[in-house]
Amino acid sequence: MFLARLLRSRRVGLTAAAAAPLLAMSALAAVTVPPAAAAPGCSVTYSAPSQWDGGFTANVSVTNIGDAVDGWTLTWSFGAGQQVTQAWNAQVSQSGSQVTARNVSYNAAIPTGGKVEFGFNGSSSGTDNPNPTAFTLNGTLCTGDVGPTTTTTTTTTTTTTTTGTPPGGNLPSSFRWSSSGALISPRPDAAHPNVYSVKDPSVVYYNGKYHVFASVYTTGYNLMYTSFTDWSQAASAPQYYLDRTPVGGGYKAAPQVFYFAPQHLWYLVYQTGSNASYSTTTDISNPSSWSAPKNFYANGMPQIIRDNIGKGYWVDFWTVCDDAKCYLFSSDDNGHLYRSETTTAQFPNGFTNTVIAQQDSNPNRLFEASNVYKVAGKNQWLLIVEAIGSDNRRWFRTWTSSAITGPWSPLAAEESNPFARANNVTFPSGQWTRDISHGEMIRAGVDQTMEIDPCRLRFLYQGMDPNAGGEYNKLPWKLGLLTQTNSTC
């Protein structure tokens, strides 16, 4: 998302042309096995990476080492009075100390060797928060072993091999995608009779719904919100303009939404022209509940950015945290990616130590719209940055690192091997765009770690009619969804 779009004739020209445990795996010899009831078996990894006085965030990973499961229920008991307060990627209920987590529509199936992950926030008594000691999946105690089937079968000869490779969870070295058609389009209302674009999306899946925030261009840039239970509903879901809320009017663009677990608050981060700003709420589903904007940087643009921005623009803020610190990334449309930091205890205040995290002498190769994600189950972070290609079309490059602070190693960073570009995306319903532009991954959770499941990559992005042209601000950007088709899992 660019600042001062109306004045950017240069851009108009470019665009208009434009920790699960390792398990042994068995292989049956080529024989026919009569049908049998499912042989149950599972293991569970439970962690509480974020804890504070009176609360915590927990992650649960369930690995199926028995026969394939279609529909699952996981149960456990808390031993110190903990209570689940909200959950994602599962429907979680609690009666006394007993907790029951059930699948949601998109993660009911767990193949043999596959896993499912979900998370939740909970309350605790002070810092007394011991981990549960026993989990049951569909009535079977998860011990890491496979139990017997419940029917008798004839004896067959099998061969067994073991491998040190986990049953998935790795990012590939190249990516392939299938794109939906345009799912979310501009929608005028009485107060906004002319809406030219919907772009720069941020999305979380929470409490059974997708919550999408995006930039809109009317007479200027502002933000909108929509929600729905399934992507088939996205086109008809109501859209709410946040300039009618305490977020207010005036220039606001390029939102990012996440739940900051230590404070029990949702944060909406966006650019306001001269600063990175944010609003907060306790209820993501109520667009009128967001607070008035506050700034991250008390003294405005850091000096290192002033020294390197040239004729670029300070845009596209991205927040991500590990256990100790929170980081704020931004771009300058001049080949620089910046990173500031503060402690999780100080957040959202105290951002300082701004450095150049990545740079390229060709600004088009390191342009804007950076995202940084934690790869679930790995000591790995994924950096995604939008570029302008040799054909003047938008595309994405990626790097990986063992730390948010880098150093970053290229993963899929060239036009011949992109993260997402027109040449590695298929369009089953017809190619409605040749730009794969500013977007965001659908995360495995909702919190500040920005965790993604490498087995289920989906990317909500902006695209437009390849024949569109004219003033950048009035280009007809719409939102579509990429789904990875070459998962390694």
Side-chain angles (χ1 to χ4, degrees):
M1 180 60 221
F2 317 135
L3 171 62
R5 301 283 193 186
L6 288 169
L7 303 178
R8 302 187 61 182
S9 57
R10 176 177 69 88
R11 189 60 44 76
V12 169
L14 288 171
T15 309
L22 300 183
L23 303 170
M25 299 181 65
S26 297
L28 292 178
V31 295
T32 301
V33 181
C42 51
S43 64
V44 173
T45 300
Y46 178 100
S47 65
S50 298
Q51 301 190 54
W52 57 94
D53 189 6
F56 62 99
T57 296
N59 297 321
V60 183
S61 176
V62 182
T63 300
N64 178 26
I65 57 175
D67 287 355
V69 169
D70 189 9
W72 53 267
T73 299
L74 186 75
T75 59
W76 70 90
S77 293
F78 279 129
Q82 301 102 313
Q83 293 287 318
V84 175
T85 57
Q86 64 180 131
W88 47 92
N89 296 335
Q91 302 176 63
V92 181
S93 59
Q94 185 169 351
S95 177
S97 62
Q98 181 79 12
V99 183
T100 301
R102 294 183 173 87
N103 65 272
V104 290
S105 61
Y106 59 83
N107 65 3
I110 317 177
T112 301
K115 68 178 179 179
V116 65
E117 296 177 318
F118 63 94
F120 60 90
N121 293 319
S123 62
S124 59
S125 178
T127 57
D128 187 15
N129 182 32
N131 288 354
T133 57
F135 294 85
T136 299
L137 179 68
N138 290 355
T140 296
L141 186 65
C142 293
T143 63
D145 295 321
V146 181
T149 61
T150 57
T151 63
T152 302
T153 65
T154 57
T155 302
T156 58
T157 302
T158 65
T159 60
T160 302
T161 59
T162 60
T163 176
T165 303
N170 295 313
L171 292 170
S173 57
S174 63
F175 295 84
R176 296 292 181 270
W177 307 90
S178 176
S179 177
S180 70
L183 297 176
I184 301 176
S185 301
R187 185 177 303 162
D189 65 10
H192 308 85
N194 297 307
V195 184
Y196 298 96
S197 62
V198 175
K199 57 199 301 288
D200 316 322
S202 183
V203 56
V204 293
Y205 185 82
Y206 169 72
N207 203 21
K209 287 186 175 183
Y210 293 98
H211 301 265
V212 176
F213 296 80
S215 305
V216 288
Y217 186 79
T218 56
T219 56
Y221 279 99
N222 206 268
L223 307 177
M224 80 84 166
Y225 162 76
T226 186
S227 66
F228 41 85
T229 58
D230 187 85
W231 288 102
S232 62
Q233 303 168 342
S236 58
Q239 295 181 10
Y240 301 92
Y241 292 89
L242 299 191
D243 61 356
R244 320 302 288 182
T245 76
V247 171
Y251 179 89
K252 296 175 180 69
Q256 181 205 12
V257 67
F258 62 93
Y259 184 76
F260 191 64
Q263 297 175 1
H264 307 282
L265 282 176
W266 291 96
Y267 273 76
L268 187 64
V269 177
Y270 44 88
Q271 61 194 48
T272 49
S274 60
N275 215 311
S277 301
Y278 66 90
S279 297
T280 61
T281 184
T282 57
D283 184 2
I284 191 176
S285 65
N286 181 1
S288 296
S289 66
W290 289 101
S291 66
K294 294 183 178 179
N295 290 335
F296 279 111
Y297 293 94
N299 298 316
M301 182 185 293
Q303 188 60 46
I304 190 173
I305 301 178
R306 295 181 186 276
D307 292 342
N308 289 278
I309 195 170
K311 295 182 179 180
Y313 298 86
W314 191 28
V315 295
D316 296 344
F317 299 97
W318 180 267
T319 310
V320 60
C321 308
D322 57 23
D323 290 340
K325 291 184 177 181
C326 291
Y327 302 86
L328 188 56
F329 287 82
S330 59
S331 300
D332 67 1
D333 290 351
N334 193 37
H336 302 97
L337 177 67
Y338 301 98
R339 186 189 69 242
S340 305
E341 65 181 54
T342 189
T343 65
T344 54
Q346 286 182 294
F347 181 86
N349 302 310
F351 275 105
T352 186
N353 192 29
T354 303
V355 299
I356 297 175
Q358 193 88 320
Q359 60 184 324
D360 196 299
S361 58
N362 180 351
N364 284 355
R365 285 177 53 82
L366 196 76
F367 199 59
E368 57 187 22
S370 68
N371 297 181
V372 180
Y373 302 98
K374 174 71 170 63
V375 180
K378 301 288 181 182
N379 183 31
Q380 187 179 46
W381 299 83
L382 176 70
L383 167 65
I384 303 173
V385 179
E386 183 178 0
I388 299 177
S390 56
D391 57 357
N392 289 330
R393 298 292 178 176
R394 303 303 182 92
W395 65 289
F396 281 93
R397 308 174 67 200
T398 52
W399 297 258
T400 58
S401 176
S402 60
I404 298 178
T405 54
W408 297 98
S409 300
L411 175 64
E414 300 301 326
E415 290 190 50
S416 59
N417 181 32
F419 175 70
R421 189 173 179 267
N423 61 333
N424 71 338
V425 176
T426 61
F427 294 84
S429 300
Q431 187 172 18
W432 63 278
T433 180
R434 294 211 305 269
D435 290 276
I436 309 297
S437 186
H438 193 135
E440 185 178 297
M441 302 287 286
I442 297 179
R443 297 171 238 149
V446 299
D447 72 12
Q448 69 278 356
T449 61
M450 302 295 153
E451 190 170 79
I452 57 171
D453 180 356
C455 294
R456 187 177 173 81
L457 295 181
R458 291 180 296 168
F459 188 70
L460 184 64
Y461 73 101
Q462 67 181 41
M464 67 173 175
D465 182 342
N467 297 314
E471 179 188 336
Y472 182 88
N473 296 315
K474 296 182 179 180
L475 291 175
W477 294 102
K478 302 176 181 180
L479 304 184
L481 183 66
L482 298 181
T483 299
Q484 188 191 8
T485 58
N486 70 327
S487 171
T488 65
C489 305

